Amino acid sequence: MTARSTRRTTAAQSRIAAVGAIAVAGALLLTGCGDQTKDKESGGSDTADSSAAPLADKLPQAIRDKGVIKVGSDIAYAPVEFKDDSGKTVGIDPDLADAMGKQLGVKFEFENGTFDTLLGGLRSKRYDIAMSAMTDTKNRQDGVDADTGKKVGEGVDFVDYFTAGVSIYTKKGADQGIKTWSDLCGKKLVVQRGTVSHDLAKSEAKKCAKGKAISIEAFDNDQQAQTRLRSGGADAGSSDFPVAAYAVKTSGGGKDFQLVGEQVEAAPYGIAVAKSNTEVRDAVKAALDAIIANGEYKKIIEKWGVDAGAVEEATINGGK
């Protein structure tokens, strides 16, 4: 997750997690977060056999007939979702979608879009769900803009499936004394636009002394923010802990970045579903509970080295 201002919420509602063990897991791979394109990737199995799927009857007939659940996702946020060297969409979310698809007898088809447009895509019915490391927050549930406090839509329901937090990272060997968010005052920070990191930075900047505000540069995706920091164009970057840890582990063979301080604002990642689409919401929850019960969920989470963020059951609208 994912939340990502539209995507990750205000400071108190960050996408941040109790995923402390991820940093040492060592299984984290590469990074990314995508543009709004029309790339479509199968995040589920190549074939969807509804006759062998125990939960197929929980889906609306129209989706069962198509055999596809359309997923809006920012596919550049490794290890949650990203494209491998062959161009295939891979990561935690696609693997979970594949496992849930087998339960439901459908294929989860991922469509790439910028993070801050995903909820709009749900409202316009471009997608059936949005699955993109998105933090479940009360603002998103209610359709409230985190910056203005004004209602901008009907909101969404979330099926929560993971827990994550926000971290700060710097160039390796150049932390400039940055350990906490207050240490960013007078510094330049790069983030992905619309994320919890972005919201947290804006909130923290208001607390800085006069003339020492945080200079925030926001990008369409996390890869762009990392490139800016790598080139020396900023003092620090911030993103969800699994993503920051992955970048530290993989960028430049582990020589580009380092994590600083502790992750903050633990919050759940949720699969977003339109409030009017309760049948799909409940089917996704049932499928998630099924793969938790049969052990597939645990295997996937451990595969990506993020087992500290695992949940024991699916929850609807557990974000605060």
Side-chain angles (χ1 to χ4, degrees):
M1 58 338 303
T2 318
R4 299 187 208 181
S5 206
T6 303
R7 165 188 163 196
R8 290 141 212 192
T9 187
T10 55
Q13 297 168 324
S14 297
R15 180 194 203 182
I16 313 152
V19 197
I22 306 179
V24 296
L28 303 176
L29 310 167
L30 282 172
T31 17
C33 256
D35 318 332
Q36 185 170 359
T37 68
K38 293 188 177 179
D39 289 347
K40 293 184 180 179
E41 290 286 345
S42 169
S45 52
D46 291 334
T47 59
D49 181 4
S50 59
S51 65
L55 300 177
D57 61 353
K58 290 188 173 294
L59 285 171
Q61 189 62 50
I63 288 181
R64 293 170 64 185
D65 290 344
K66 289 187 298 184
V68 169
I69 289 178
K70 294 163 60 179
V71 185
S73 188
D74 182 5
I75 309 174
Y77 211 64
V80 186
E81 54 261 322
F82 64 105
K83 297 201 177 201
D84 65 13
D85 291 341
S86 70
K88 181 182 178 182
T89 297
V90 297
I92 299 167
D93 283 357
D95 281 357
L96 291 174
D98 177 70
M100 290 190 291
K102 292 172 183 175
Q103 295 291 320
L104 295 169
V106 295
K107 180 168 61 176
F108 282 64
E109 185 178 85
F110 280 67
E111 182 173 339
N112 197 18
T114 51
F115 186 84
D116 56 3
T117 66
L118 298 182
L119 295 186
L122 272 183
R123 287 193 293 268
S124 67
K125 300 185 178 180
R126 178 179 181 182
Y127 315 125
D128 297 308
I129 65 173
M131 190 174 186
S132 190
M134 185 176 290
T135 302
D136 173 3
T137 68
K138 190 71 170 134
N139 278 344
R140 288 190 178 114
Q141 293 170 25
D142 295 340
V144 172
D145 182 87
D147 288 332
T148 66
K150 295 180 179 179
K151 192 164 179 67
V152 292
E154 67 175 356
V156 296
D157 285 334
F158 286 99
V159 179
D160 298 338
Y161 65 100
F162 189 73
T163 302
V166 166
S167 291
I168 301 168
Y169 60 99
T170 67
K171 291 187 71 174
K172 196 158 190 174
D175 65 21
Q176 301 180 67
I178 299 170
K179 299 295 181 186
T180 68
W181 279 84
S182 60
D183 294 331
L184 291 169
C185 292
K187 302 287 198 299
K188 185 171 183 178
L189 178 72
V190 290
V191 296
Q192 181 184 359
R193 185 177 296 107
T195 63
V196 164
S197 291
H198 193 187
D199 289 335
L200 189 56
K202 288 185 287 186
S203 177
E204 192 66 39
K206 296 175 183 177
K207 305 174 188 176
C208 295
K210 188 174 181 180
K212 297 278 288 182
I214 302 171
S215 175
I216 305 166
E217 188 172 6
F219 294 87
D220 284 344
N221 63 61
D222 207 65
Q223 287 177 330
Q224 293 169 349
Q226 290 175 27
T227 298
R228 182 69 161 166
L229 178 60
R230 192 183 297 111
S231 69
D235 301 302
S238 177
S239 58
D240 290 0
F241 178 73
V243 177
Y246 188 83
V248 167
K249 180 73 179 178
T250 61
S251 182
K255 297 178 181 179
D256 287 344
F257 303 128
Q258 66 184 57
L259 290 170
V260 295
E262 301 294 329
Q263 60 174 318
V264 297
E265 309 265 342
Y269 283 177
I271 301 167
V273 188
K275 285 193 176 294
S276 60
N277 216 350
T278 56
E279 198 172 356
V280 168
R281 179 200 67 193
D282 294 345
V284 168
K285 181 184 185 302
L288 182 57
D289 278 330
I291 66 171
I292 291 173
N294 70 16
E296 284 299 307
Y297 175 89
K298 184 173 186 288
K299 290 178 183 177
I300 292 165
I301 296 301
E302 289 180 345
K303 167 187 171 181
W304 291 100
V306 294
D307 45 299
V311 299
E312 295 183 356
E313 63 179 354
T315 303
I316 293 177
N317 293 336
K320 305 301 182 185

